[in-house]
Protein backbone atom coordinates (compact mmCIF):
# COMPACT_ATOMS: atom_id res chain seq x y z
CA UNK A 1 0.00 0.00 0.00
CA UNK A 2 2.87 2.38 0.83
CA UNK A 3 4.45 1.68 -2.57
CA UNK A 4 1.17 2.49 -4.31
CA UNK A 5 0.89 5.85 -2.56
CA UNK A 6 4.50 6.60 -3.39
CA UNK A 7 3.94 5.67 -7.06
CA UNK A 8 0.85 7.93 -7.24
CA UNK A 9 2.85 10.78 -5.73
CA UNK A 10 5.62 10.35 -8.35
CA UNK A 11 3.07 10.19 -11.17
CA UNK A 12 1.49 13.44 -9.95
CA UNK A 13 4.83 15.26 -9.71
CA UNK A 14 6.31 14.02 -13.01
CA UNK A 15 4.46 16.53 -15.26
CA UNK A 16 5.58 19.41 -13.01
CA UNK A 17 9.21 18.33 -13.25
CA UNK A 18 9.00 17.93 -17.03
CA UNK A 19 7.38 21.36 -17.42
CA UNK A 20 10.19 22.95 -15.46
CA UNK A 21 12.77 21.37 -17.76
CA UNK A 22 10.89 22.29 -20.96
CA UNK A 23 11.28 26.07 -20.56
CA UNK A 24 14.22 27.88 -22.06
CA UNK A 25 16.57 30.24 -20.36
CA UNK A 26 14.92 33.51 -19.34
CA UNK A 27 16.19 36.55 -21.25
CA UNK A 28 18.79 38.65 -19.46
CA UNK A 29 17.71 41.81 -17.67
CA UNK A 30 19.64 44.97 -18.52
CA UNK A 31 18.34 47.18 -15.76
CA UNK A 32 19.85 50.49 -14.77
CA UNK A 33 20.85 50.90 -11.15
CA UNK A 34 18.60 53.23 -9.11
CA UNK A 35 20.49 55.27 -6.51
CA UNK A 36 20.44 58.44 -4.45
CA UNK A 37 22.94 61.05 -5.62
CA UNK A 38 24.93 61.59 -2.42
CA UNK A 39 25.66 65.26 -3.12
CA UNK A 40 21.91 65.96 -3.43
CA UNK A 41 20.64 63.68 -0.66
CA UNK A 42 20.24 66.39 2.00
CA UNK A 43 18.75 69.86 1.81
CA UNK A 44 18.98 72.41 4.63
CA UNK A 45 16.97 75.62 4.36
CA UNK A 46 17.65 78.65 6.54
CA UNK A 47 16.32 82.14 7.05
CA UNK A 48 18.77 84.46 5.35
CA UNK A 49 22.35 83.38 4.74
CA UNK A 50 23.03 82.18 8.28
CA UNK A 51 24.57 78.77 8.92
CA UNK A 52 23.37 78.93 12.53
CA UNK A 53 21.15 76.02 13.57
CA UNK A 54 18.67 78.50 15.09
CA UNK A 55 18.09 79.95 11.59
CA UNK A 56 17.16 76.58 10.04
CA UNK A 57 13.67 76.30 8.61
CA UNK A 58 13.99 72.74 7.28
CA UNK A 59 16.47 69.86 7.27
CA UNK A 60 15.41 67.18 4.78
CA UNK A 61 17.01 63.93 3.63
CA UNK A 62 16.35 61.30 1.02
CA UNK A 63 16.35 58.15 3.11
CA UNK A 64 16.64 55.72 0.22
CA UNK A 65 15.18 54.08 -2.84
CA UNK A 66 13.64 50.63 -3.04
CA UNK A 67 12.35 48.77 -6.03
CA UNK A 68 12.86 46.10 -8.61
CA UNK A 69 13.29 45.47 -12.30
CA UNK A 70 11.12 43.15 -14.37
CA UNK A 71 10.28 42.23 -17.94
CA UNK A 72 7.71 44.49 -19.60
CA UNK A 73 6.85 42.84 -22.89
CA UNK A 74 9.17 41.21 -25.41
CA UNK A 75 11.70 44.01 -25.78
CA UNK A 76 11.27 46.24 -22.71
CA UNK A 77 12.09 46.20 -19.03
CA UNK A 78 10.44 48.17 -16.28
CA UNK A 79 12.15 49.63 -13.23
CA UNK A 80 9.59 50.23 -10.48
CA UNK A 81 10.71 52.01 -7.30
CA UNK A 82 9.75 54.35 -4.47
CA UNK A 83 11.73 57.15 -2.85
CA UNK A 84 11.71 57.73 0.91
CA UNK A 85 12.15 61.14 2.54
CA UNK A 86 12.46 62.43 6.11
CA UNK A 87 12.50 66.02 7.35
CA UNK A 88 12.85 68.04 10.52
CA UNK A 89 11.04 71.35 10.84
CA UNK A 90 13.67 73.87 11.90
CA UNK A 91 13.52 76.20 14.88
CA UNK A 92 13.06 79.24 12.60
CA UNK A 93 10.10 77.74 10.74
CA UNK A 94 6.50 78.73 11.31
CA UNK A 95 5.16 76.59 8.45
CA UNK A 96 2.87 73.60 8.98
CA UNK A 97 3.53 72.26 5.48
CA UNK A 98 6.75 72.51 3.48
CA UNK A 99 7.33 71.40 -0.11
CA UNK A 100 10.70 70.69 -1.69
CA UNK A 101 11.67 69.92 -5.29
CA UNK A 102 13.43 66.65 -6.08
CA UNK A 103 14.60 65.20 -9.38
CA UNK A 104 14.77 61.86 -11.12
CA UNK A 105 17.47 61.73 -13.78
CA UNK A 106 18.53 59.00 -16.19
CA UNK A 107 22.26 59.25 -16.81
CA UNK A 108 24.98 57.37 -18.59
CA UNK A 109 28.40 58.32 -17.30
CA UNK A 110 28.45 62.14 -17.09
CA UNK A 111 25.72 62.54 -19.71
CA UNK A 112 22.16 63.35 -18.57
CA UNK A 113 19.74 61.53 -20.87
CA UNK A 114 16.56 62.73 -19.18
CA UNK A 115 15.64 64.65 -16.04
CA UNK A 116 12.34 65.64 -14.44
CA UNK A 117 11.63 67.63 -11.29
CA UNK A 118 8.83 66.73 -8.87
CA UNK A 119 7.70 67.96 -5.44
CA UNK A 120 7.64 66.22 -2.07
CA UNK A 121 5.40 67.57 0.67
CA UNK A 122 6.20 67.41 4.38
CA UNK A 123 3.32 67.82 6.83
CA UNK A 124 4.21 69.35 10.20
CA UNK A 125 0.68 70.12 11.35
CA UNK A 126 -0.44 69.54 14.93
CA UNK A 127 2.94 70.59 16.29
CA UNK A 128 4.97 67.84 14.63
CA UNK A 129 8.64 68.61 14.17
CA UNK A 130 9.41 65.43 12.17
CA UNK A 131 7.78 64.25 8.93
CA UNK A 132 8.30 61.41 6.49
CA UNK A 133 7.09 60.98 2.94
CA UNK A 134 7.21 58.23 0.33
CA UNK A 135 6.47 58.57 -3.35
CA UNK A 136 3.84 56.52 -5.10
CA UNK A 137 5.46 53.78 -7.21
CA UNK A 138 7.50 55.28 -10.04
CA UNK A 139 7.67 53.20 -13.22
CA UNK A 140 10.32 53.73 -15.89
CA UNK A 141 10.59 51.64 -19.07
CA UNK A 142 13.87 50.83 -20.76
CA UNK A 143 14.72 48.85 -23.91
CA UNK A 144 16.04 45.38 -23.21
CA UNK A 145 19.54 46.17 -24.43
CA UNK A 146 23.03 46.22 -22.88
CA UNK A 147 23.10 50.04 -23.03
CA UNK A 148 20.24 50.15 -20.50
CA UNK A 149 22.38 48.24 -18.01
CA UNK A 150 25.08 50.92 -18.37
CA UNK A 151 22.65 53.68 -17.37
CA UNK A 152 21.69 54.87 -13.89
CA UNK A 153 18.56 56.39 -12.42
CA UNK A 154 19.64 59.03 -9.90
CA UNK A 155 17.40 60.85 -7.43
CA UNK A 156 18.18 63.91 -5.35
CA UNK A 157 16.92 67.28 -4.18
CA UNK A 158 16.82 70.00 -6.83
CA UNK A 159 19.00 72.78 -5.42
CA UNK A 160 20.25 76.19 -6.46
CA UNK A 161 23.94 77.13 -6.07
CA UNK A 162 23.58 78.47 -2.49
CA UNK A 163 21.68 75.35 -1.39
CA UNK A 164 24.32 73.09 -2.97
CA UNK A 165 27.07 75.00 -1.13
CA UNK A 166 25.18 74.71 2.19
CA UNK A 167 24.60 70.97 1.57
CA UNK A 168 28.31 70.37 0.88
CA UNK A 169 29.19 72.29 4.07
CA UNK A 170 26.70 70.23 6.08
CA UNK A 171 28.14 67.02 4.62
CA UNK A 172 31.67 68.09 5.57
CA UNK A 173 30.52 68.83 9.13
CA UNK A 174 29.08 65.30 9.58
Amino acid sequence: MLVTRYARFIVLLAPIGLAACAGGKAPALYCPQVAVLQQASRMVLTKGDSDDVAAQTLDARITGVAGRCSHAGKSMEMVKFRIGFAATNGPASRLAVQTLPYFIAIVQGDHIISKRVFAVRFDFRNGADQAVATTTPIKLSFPRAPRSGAQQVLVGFQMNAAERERASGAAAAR
Side-chain angles (χ1 to χ4, degrees):
M1 178 107 164
L2 180 62
V3 174
T4 307
R5 283 187 185 166
Y6 185 73
R8 284 185 197 158
F9 183 71
I10 295 296
V11 169
L12 289 173
L13 289 180
I16 294 170
L18 292 175
C21 295
K25 183 180 176 187
L29 287 173
Y30 296 105
C31 296
Q33 174 190 11
V34 180
V36 178
L37 181 62
Q38 188 64 35
Q39 299 89 332
S41 65
R42 182 177 182 206
M43 188 170 198
V44 178
L45 301 180
T46 61
K47 278 191 171 184
D49 292 333
S50 177
D51 287 336
D52 186 9
V53 172
Q56 285 185 0
T57 58
L58 185 71
D59 185 350
R61 288 183 170 78
I62 298 176
T63 57
V65 292
R68 65 184 177 90
C69 181
S70 60
H71 294 288
K74 291 184 179 184
S75 61
M76 298 297 287
E77 295 168 344
M78 180 178 297
V79 176
K80 183 177 176 182
F81 63 98
R82 290 178 183 248
I83 307 169
F85 301 89
T88 302
N89 209 14
S93 176
R94 301 286 179 250
L95 299 174
V97 174
Q98 294 208 43
T99 303
L100 290 179
Y102 71 93
F103 65 84
I104 299 173
I106 300 170
V107 300
Q108 186 161 355
D110 292 336
H111 177 68
I112 298 172
I113 297 168
S114 175
K115 178 181 175 183
R116 288 194 53 202
V117 177
F118 303 90
V120 59
R121 182 176 180 259
F122 297 105
D123 186 347
F124 297 105
R125 286 182 283 202
N126 299 320
D129 63 348
Q130 303 283 320
V132 294
T134 304
T135 62
T136 58
I138 298 162
K139 298 175 184 178
L140 301 175
S141 295
F142 293 87
R144 185 170 299 134
R147 74 173 185 267
S148 295
Q151 296 172 350
Q152 282 188 300
V153 177
L154 297 177
V155 300
F157 286 113
Q158 183 68 32
M159 295 185 244
N160 61 34
E163 292 163 342
R164 282 193 301 272
E165 186 175 312
R166 191 173 295 117
S168 66
R174 283 190 261 166

PDB file of all heavy atoms in Angstrom, residues 33 76 86 98 104 114 121 129 141 163:
ATOM      1  N   GLN A  33      20.826  50.815 -12.604  1.00  0.00           N
ATOM      2  CA  GLN A  33      20.849  50.899 -11.148  1.00  0.00           C
ATOM      3  C   GLN A  33      20.100  52.161 -10.730  1.00  0.00           C
ATOM      4  O   GLN A  33      20.236  53.214 -11.355  1.00  0.00           O
ATOM      5  CB  GLN A  33      22.291  50.971 -10.664  1.00  0.00           C
ATOM      6  CG  GLN A  33      22.438  51.196  -9.188  1.00  0.00           C
ATOM      7  CD  GLN A  33      23.874  51.508  -8.792  1.00  0.00           C
ATOM      8  OE1 GLN A  33      24.731  51.749  -9.620  1.00  0.00           O
ATOM      9  NE2 GLN A  33      24.122  51.526  -7.509  1.00  0.00           N
ATOM     10  N   MET A  76      11.148  45.155 -23.698  1.00  0.00           N
ATOM     11  CA  MET A  76      11.267  46.239 -22.715  1.00  0.00           C
ATOM     12  C   MET A  76      11.429  45.667 -21.308  1.00  0.00           C
ATOM     13  O   MET A  76      11.043  44.537 -21.040  1.00  0.00           O
ATOM     14  CB  MET A  76      10.024  47.142 -22.742  1.00  0.00           C
ATOM     15  CG  MET A  76       9.778  47.846 -24.064  1.00  0.00           C
ATOM     16  SD  MET A  76      11.083  48.997 -24.531  1.00  0.00           S
ATOM     17  CE  MET A  76      10.779  50.320 -23.390  1.00  0.00           C
ATOM     18  N   ALA A  86      12.696  62.077   4.710  1.00  0.00           N
ATOM     19  CA  ALA A  86      12.459  62.434   6.111  1.00  0.00           C
ATOM     20  C   ALA A  86      12.893  63.880   6.285  1.00  0.00           C
ATOM     21  O   ALA A  86      13.847  64.339   5.643  1.00  0.00           O
ATOM     22  CB  ALA A  86      13.249  61.527   7.043  1.00  0.00           C
ATOM     23  N   GLN A  98       5.651  72.034   4.315  1.00  0.00           N
ATOM     24  CA  GLN A  98       6.754  72.508   3.482  1.00  0.00           C
ATOM     25  C   GLN A  98       6.897  71.575   2.286  1.00  0.00           C
ATOM     26  O   GLN A  98       6.752  70.359   2.414  1.00  0.00           O
ATOM     27  CB  GLN A  98       8.058  72.555   4.286  1.00  0.00           C
ATOM     28  CG  GLN A  98       8.007  73.591   5.409  1.00  0.00           C
ATOM     29  CD  GLN A  98       9.367  74.131   5.745  1.00  0.00           C
ATOM     30  OE1 GLN A  98      10.159  74.428   4.862  1.00  0.00           O
ATOM     31  NE2 GLN A  98       9.631  74.294   7.036  1.00  0.00           N
ATOM     32  N   ILE A 104      14.439  63.219 -10.678  1.00  0.00           N
ATOM     33  CA  ILE A 104      14.767  61.860 -11.123  1.00  0.00           C
ATOM     34  C   ILE A 104      15.467  62.046 -12.463  1.00  0.00           C
ATOM     35  O   ILE A 104      14.909  62.662 -13.382  1.00  0.00           O
ATOM     36  CB  ILE A 104      13.510  60.985 -11.290  1.00  0.00           C
ATOM     37  CG1 ILE A 104      12.774  60.854  -9.954  1.00  0.00           C
ATOM     38  CG2 ILE A 104      13.886  59.613 -11.857  1.00  0.00           C
ATOM     39  CD1 ILE A 104      11.431  60.144 -10.062  1.00  0.00           C
ATOM     40  N   SER A 114      17.883  62.174 -19.468  1.00  0.00           N
ATOM     41  CA  SER A 114      16.557  62.729 -19.178  1.00  0.00           C
ATOM     42  C   SER A 114      16.514  63.137 -17.705  1.00  0.00           C
ATOM     43  O   SER A 114      17.125  62.478 -16.869  1.00  0.00           O
ATOM     44  CB  SER A 114      15.483  61.677 -19.466  1.00  0.00           C
ATOM     45  OG  SER A 114      14.207  62.132 -19.099  1.00  0.00           O
ATOM     46  N   ARG A 121       6.072  66.742  -0.332  1.00  0.00           N
ATOM     47  CA  ARG A 121       5.397  67.571   0.673  1.00  0.00           C
ATOM     48  C   ARG A 121       5.609  66.969   2.054  1.00  0.00           C
ATOM     49  O   ARG A 121       5.386  65.780   2.264  1.00  0.00           O
ATOM     50  CB  ARG A 121       3.910  67.605   0.339  1.00  0.00           C
ATOM     51  CG  ARG A 121       3.079  68.442   1.239  1.00  0.00           C
ATOM     52  CD  ARG A 121       1.633  68.443   0.688  1.00  0.00           C
ATOM     53  NE  ARG A 121       0.776  69.228   1.513  1.00  0.00           N
ATOM     54  CZ  ARG A 121      -0.056  68.721   2.418  1.00  0.00           C
ATOM     55  NH1 ARG A 121      -0.148  67.421   2.580  1.00  0.00           N
ATOM     56  NH2 ARG A 121      -0.806  69.511   3.134  1.00  0.00           N
ATOM     57  N   ASP A 129       7.373  68.045  14.636  1.00  0.00           N
ATOM     58  CA  ASP A 129       8.639  68.609  14.171  1.00  0.00           C
ATOM     59  C   ASP A 129       9.380  67.639  13.249  1.00  0.00           C
ATOM     60  O   ASP A 129      10.411  67.981  12.698  1.00  0.00           O
ATOM     61  CB  ASP A 129       9.519  69.051  15.340  1.00  0.00           C
ATOM     62  CG  ASP A 129       9.936  67.909  16.241  1.00  0.00           C
ATOM     63  OD1 ASP A 129       9.376  66.816  16.110  1.00  0.00           O
ATOM     64  OD2 ASP A 129      10.834  68.118  17.081  1.00  0.00           O
ATOM     65  N   SER A 141      10.349  52.720 -18.094  1.00  0.00           N
ATOM     66  CA  SER A 141      10.586  51.642 -19.066  1.00  0.00           C
ATOM     67  C   SER A 141      11.890  51.875 -19.810  1.00  0.00           C
ATOM     68  O   SER A 141      12.223  53.018 -20.157  1.00  0.00           O
ATOM     69  CB  SER A 141       9.433  51.577 -20.069  1.00  0.00           C
ATOM     70  OG  SER A 141       8.246  51.217 -19.406  1.00  0.00           O
ATOM     71  N   GLU A 163      22.123  76.558  -2.093  1.00  0.00           N
ATOM     72  CA  GLU A 163      21.683  75.349  -1.389  1.00  0.00           C
ATOM     73  C   GLU A 163      22.692  74.218  -1.561  1.00  0.00           C
ATOM     74  O   GLU A 163      22.955  73.480  -0.615  1.00  0.00           O
ATOM     75  CB  GLU A 163      20.305  74.924  -1.895  1.00  0.00           C
ATOM     76  CG  GLU A 163      19.216  75.894  -1.500  1.00  0.00           C
ATOM     77  CD  GLU A 163      17.935  75.740  -2.297  1.00  0.00           C
ATOM     78  OE1 GLU A 163      17.962  75.120  -3.382  1.00  0.00           O
ATOM     79  OE2 GLU A 163      16.900  76.237  -1.830  1.00  0.00           O
TER      80      GLU A 163
END
